[in-house]
Structure formats: structure tokens, C-alpha cells
Amino acid sequence: MFAASCQEPKNQDQLNEPQQLVEKEDKVKIPASFTAEKARQLSDRLDSAFTYLHKRKGFNGTMLVTKYDQVIYKGAFGYSDFKQKDTLSTETAFQLASVSKQFTAMAVMMLQEQGKLQYDDSVQQYIPDFPYKGITIRQLLTHRSGLSNYTYFSDELWPDRNVPITNEDVLKLMATHQPRPYYPPNTHFDYSNTGYALLASVVEKASGVPFAVFMQKNIFKPLKMKNTFTFSEEVITMTGKVATGHTGGRRKRWPDYLDTVLGDKGMYSTVEDLYKWDQALYTQKLVKKETLAEAFAGSGQKKKDEDYGFGWRITQVDNGDTIVYHAGLWHGYTSYLLRNPKDHSAIIVLSNVPNGSLSYLKDIRKIMYPATEDSTSGKELAGK
């Protein structure tokens, strides 16, 4: 494979050995111009950029970058736990934060294909006590429900923060107290963790099994994502296998009562497993190509030159390619997953020190997708 690691010496055999973790049905042709030498040069640039982020900007985490379905760079910088000085590896699991949303959306898409739900069904068809009328599953997927943030109203309404709150508890709070929505449904795009927590409950009601069980049985296990799982009390004791969350000042950040709500967050994975996920999305292992296309099509709600599909943000990079991506921030973790379907490339970055260093990933994007004269001219014409 075209691969380099910041911890392991580059190996000529590795650089020329193709890696295919998942049998692909939608293949991309590798252009003749992308030689082993070009891949090596790109790998060197990425290594320099991530080394700079680690040494000068305090980046602590793991990364894996691909192009034409092949790993061209991967590595790990820093510690899983600063107190214990446990070294990170590309098989260390991190809380995915909002990158979890794309997995929740996939569960909904799978159930839609199975005929167990429809996108335009009312939430009340699955949760009869849900007190807000006129909200559909599609609106939850595309952040157009207008519902208030459960992390805020739970702080006010949950009686004891030493007791974990579950998705079912959030539903009960909403039914009992009916927190005032921010907007009427389908009138605004308003990014909503509440919407994706509700989707996890819908998945549970429609499938008849707990959300965590559905994810493990239908997504993680079939894709051989062996180090991917949802939050549980056991996560706290999995020293070494799971990166400890830290504050920006590198103090340990413990889980709290909100960590037990799933759907909007709460999934853990490694960059290696997320590569398997990326590759699986070029197949029909989980859903049909047409079903996945709708998730990437967007919903026509432009905001800062971005659209939003089902669990994915959609925008353009400097060379004019349309990419899908998502980032996340939650309780000591940051995450980032970008996919470019045109050249089957991906940028996967996980960190357990949210100190703002991931804001410099724009420099990684510029290395991967540099502006061309054509793409620059196109943007200038579009602005006229």
C-alpha cells in the first residue's frame, strides 16, 4: 500500500502493495500520473504537515489519509493518557463525537430499505408520547426539526447529574416538560443534537432491538470494525485501547451523565476502522447505491457554501471537487472525517486534546486538493 507512518520507517514493499480491505463495486481508476513516487512525495508532505501540527500547535491524536482507495499516510502523535504516558497507535479508539451522526443516519437508511420506516413518517408513529406534531424523520436527518438542544434542557430538568441519562429519559423529559422549540419544523436549518438522539430512539423502535445492538450487528460486525462500539460504563476501564479525553490544557476529562445518550455522539472507533467504513461506502454492503446517493445529495439548505445531507456536510474544496465530511467535538475529543468520491480519497483524524489544532486541517486539505487555474477561474466566474 502507499503508506507512511510517523512512528514506523517507510518500507518500499509497503509503498507498492495495494491494500483493499473491502471488495469494491464502485472502483476508481488510478491515473498514470499518480506513480509510486508521486504517492511518496504526497506522503512526505503530509508527514511534515502533521509533524508541524504536533510540535507547534499541540496536536495529539491519530490520522489516516487515502487516495484512490489506498492508504498513503497514517500515524499517531502523542499520548492516549498524559498521566500514564500511554502511547497512541492507529488502533486506539476515540469518541467520535458528531462523526457518530453518519452511522445513525446509515441505520435509518437501512431500515428504510427494509420497509420498517419511511423518511417522511411522523416521529409520533414510532414514539407516540412525542409531544411535537409535524416533525418527520427526514427533518431530523437534515436538522430541520427546530427542536431545542437536549444537552441544555437536561441540565435544567434532570434531577441528579450523578445519574446517567438515557435516550429514553430524554424522551420522557420532552413528553413531561415540553421544552419550547427554537423554530417551527421545516422552517430553518438548525444543527440539532436532539434530532439525532431522537433518530437513535426511532431506530430502536422500528427495529425492535436496542440501538447499540443494531449498530453492532448490522454495521460494525459486517464491516469487521472490531474496535468500534458505542459508549458504555466499560469504556472508562478500557485503558490503552481507548484514548482518554482531555481538556485543552491536557487535564483528564471524565465522562458525565450526558455521555449515555447515543445517536448524536457516543460511538468510538479507530482511524483503521473508519477506513473500513469509508471503503464500504463505495460498495452496496449496507445499502443500495441509490439510497446512499440521497444521503450525499443535500437538502438544498445552503449555509456558508455548505449543504447537509443525511449525517454529512457537503461542500467544495479548493480544486473544485465536491466532498462530504463531518467534524465533532465532545467532552475531551475532536474528530474529523472527509471523503472525496471523485478520487476515492479520505482524511481521517481523531484527537483526545481539543485545543483548536484541528482548525489547521485546512492546510491538509490544501495539500490533498490544491487549487488549480481552472478551479480558481470557476470560482471567480461564479462570484460575478
Side-chain angles (χ1 to χ4, degrees), residues 44-334:
D44 287 343
R45 290 190 66 194
L46 291 167
D47 186 52
S48 295
F50 278 112
T51 300
Y52 173 82
L53 288 181
H54 173 59
K55 291 184 176 180
R56 299 296 181 87
K57 302 300 179 182
F59 170 74
N60 190 90
T62 61
M63 73 294 298
L64 186 149
V65 183
T66 73
K67 196 172 181 72
Y68 303 116
D69 298 310
Q70 300 170 75
V71 177
I72 57 171
Y73 180 78
K74 67 178 180 178
F77 291 91
Y79 297 112
S80 171
D81 186 311
F82 280 87
K83 187 175 182 180
Q84 301 296 328
K85 301 296 183 185
D86 293 331
T87 304
L88 287 168
S89 81
T90 56
E91 293 187 347
T92 304
F94 293 71
Q95 155 80 261
L96 296 185
S98 285
V99 170
S100 303
K101 289 180 170 69
Q102 59 200 248
F103 292 94
T104 303
M106 175 58 76
V108 173
M109 289 188 281
M110 295 174 81
L111 290 169
Q112 187 269 339
E113 277 198 354
Q114 296 169 18
K116 294 182 178 179
L117 59 76
Q118 298 298 320
Y119 297 142
D120 294 315
D121 287 346
S122 164
V123 174
Q124 289 166 322
Q125 290 179 233
Y126 305 90
I127 307 170
D129 292 338
F130 186 66
Y132 307 96
K133 295 182 179 180
I135 296 177
T136 66
I137 291 172
R138 186 186 300 275
Q139 289 160 11
L140 298 181
L141 286 166
T142 57
H143 298 288
R144 295 184 66 85
S145 70
L147 292 168
S148 57
N149 193 328
Y150 80 88
T151 64
Y152 299 156
F153 67 68
S154 295
D155 273 350
E156 297 178 8
L157 302 174
W158 191 243
D160 186 352
R161 294 191 192 183
N162 293 315
V163 177
I165 186 172
T166 66
N167 291 64
E168 194 67 27
D169 292 325
V170 171
L171 292 177
K172 289 176 181 176
L173 289 181
M174 296 179 84
T176 302
H177 300 279
Q178 300 185 23
R180 185 176 180 181
Y182 296 146
Y183 303 104
N186 211 31
T187 59
H188 293 75
F189 172 85
D190 187 62
Y191 187 82
S192 177
N193 287 315
T194 305
Y196 271 77
L198 282 171
L199 285 171
S201 295
V202 169
V203 167
E204 191 161 301
K205 306 294 184 183
S207 67
V209 298
F211 178 72
V213 173
F214 184 93
M215 301 305 293
Q216 195 63 238
K217 181 179 178 181
N218 294 281
I219 299 179
F220 305 152
K221 189 174 181 180
L223 299 186
K224 296 182 171 60
M225 297 172 71
K226 296 180 180 179
N227 295 308
T228 303
F229 44 86
T230 52
F231 180 84
S232 66
E233 290 297 321
E234 288 72 31
V235 168
I236 302 170
T237 64
M238 294 173 70
T239 306
K241 292 185 177 181
V242 178
T244 300
H246 295 82
T247 67
R250 297 183 175 181
R251 294 193 307 274
K252 185 175 290 190
R253 177 72 187 266
W254 293 99
D256 69 15
Y257 82 107
L258 289 168
D259 278 83
T260 37
V261 178
L262 303 177
D264 59 318
K265 53 172 173 50
M267 296 180 198
Y268 287 71
S269 191
T270 69
V271 292
E272 301 277 5
D273 273 6
L274 290 175
Y275 172 48
K276 296 177 183 179
W277 164 249
D278 162 68
Q279 292 289 278
L281 296 180
Y282 292 117
T283 76
Q284 300 188 79
K285 264 183 172 288
L286 300 176
V287 293
K288 297 174 185 175
K289 189 183 298 185
E290 296 77 14
T291 300
L292 191 59
E294 188 172 0
F296 295 152
S299 45
Q301 45 206 22
K302 297 291 183 182
K303 187 176 183 181
K304 295 182 180 178
D305 299 319
E306 283 195 351
D307 203 344
Y308 199 98
F310 296 169
W312 294 91
R313 296 183 185 275
I314 305 160
T315 192
Q316 283 190 331
V317 284
D318 288 351
N319 69 354
D321 290 353
T322 297
I323 57 98
V324 295
Y325 81 101
H326 218 292
L329 169 65
W330 180 257
H331 286 184
Y333 300 91
T334 54

